[in-house]
Amino acid sequence: MRMVNYRYVVTVLLSMVFARSAYAQAQAVIYPKITGYVGVIHPIVTFSKDGTHTNFDGAYVGGLPTGINIWKSRRIGFSFEVVPFIRAADGTSKMNNLLFHPGLLVSLGHGFVLANRLAFETSGRYGVTPVLNKVIVKKKDYSYFIALPVPARFGNNQPTAVGVGFQFGISF
């Protein structure tokens, strides 16, 4: 009967473990990480002292957000978004506002991200927009997401307004 060389077996097993660990580290995400995205946003309702305004109430407004995210780590990042808004009413449509939307990204885990954005609009309004974002389909090269923005706007001789919207898109 042949004796097994235990040193050889242990060396082979340890080599396999460390090789697998090295491969896993090679597959790890390297930071900073840059991602981009595009989407569609539908404002749903806006509240102000002048009353409640819903989208589709005499006109439809929709936006096309496009942005770049720079993740510093797995938990924190910076985002810059630009959103042209198009208004359709009475058989015509036009771009009526452009939103510049920089912000801080905080990963909440389980596919959730909180984007804490500042808002600067060409209409003269400014404010903040917290956005709760959830990845709903994650693939190797892209992800589909949904988001719930809650914009608060001030300025331009208009009353303070707070709204709720729905956004969906693809990140890559």
Side-chain angles (χ1 to χ4, degrees):
M1 188 178 252
R2 188 168 180 206
M3 277 289 212
V4 176
N5 184 343
Y6 290 105
R7 282 189 208 166
Y8 177 74
V9 171
V10 169
T11 302
V12 168
L13 289 175
L14 286 174
S15 297
M16 290 173 56
V17 167
F18 286 121
R20 181 178 175 105
S21 175
Y23 177 76
Q25 288 177 0
Q27 298 299 317
V29 177
I30 298 171
Y31 292 96
K33 176 184 170 188
I34 299 174
T35 60
Y37 63 93
V38 295
V40 176
I41 182 164
H42 302 280
I44 298 170
V45 62
T46 303
F47 306 96
S48 73
K49 74 175 187 176
D50 289 344
T52 301
H53 174 73
T54 58
N55 209 356
F56 298 105
D57 184 19
Y60 169 74
V61 176
L64 302 167
T66 303
I68 294 177
N69 297 334
I70 303 170
W71 287 94
K72 180 175 175 13
S73 70
R74 182 175 68 70
R75 304 279 299 163
I76 197 99
F78 172 79
S79 178
F80 183 76
E81 178 179 83
V82 176
V83 187
F85 281 94
I86 298 169
R87 184 177 191 275
D90 302 322
T92 64
S93 62
K94 67 175 185 170
M95 188 182 117
N96 73 330
N97 196 20
L98 184 64
L99 170 63
F100 297 94
H101 227 193
L104 179 69
L105 302 172
V106 179
S107 174
L108 304 174
H110 305 290
F112 285 95
V113 172
L114 179 63
N116 303 287
R117 297 186 177 283
L118 297 174
F120 305 98
E121 299 182 355
T122 56
S123 68
R125 305 274 284 166
Y126 61 92
V128 296
T129 310
V131 181
L132 184 60
N133 184 320
K134 169 71 170 133
V135 172
I136 54 172
V137 176
K138 184 156 183 69
K139 299 290 185 178
K140 180 182 176 217
D141 295 326
Y142 62 93
S143 299
Y144 293 107
F145 66 90
I146 58 174
L148 183 70
V150 183
R153 298 295 184 266
F154 317 98
N156 202 19
N157 295 320
Q158 296 178 27
T160 298
V162 176
V164 176
F166 175 75
Q167 179 178 343
F168 62 91
I170 183 169
S171 63
F172 44 90

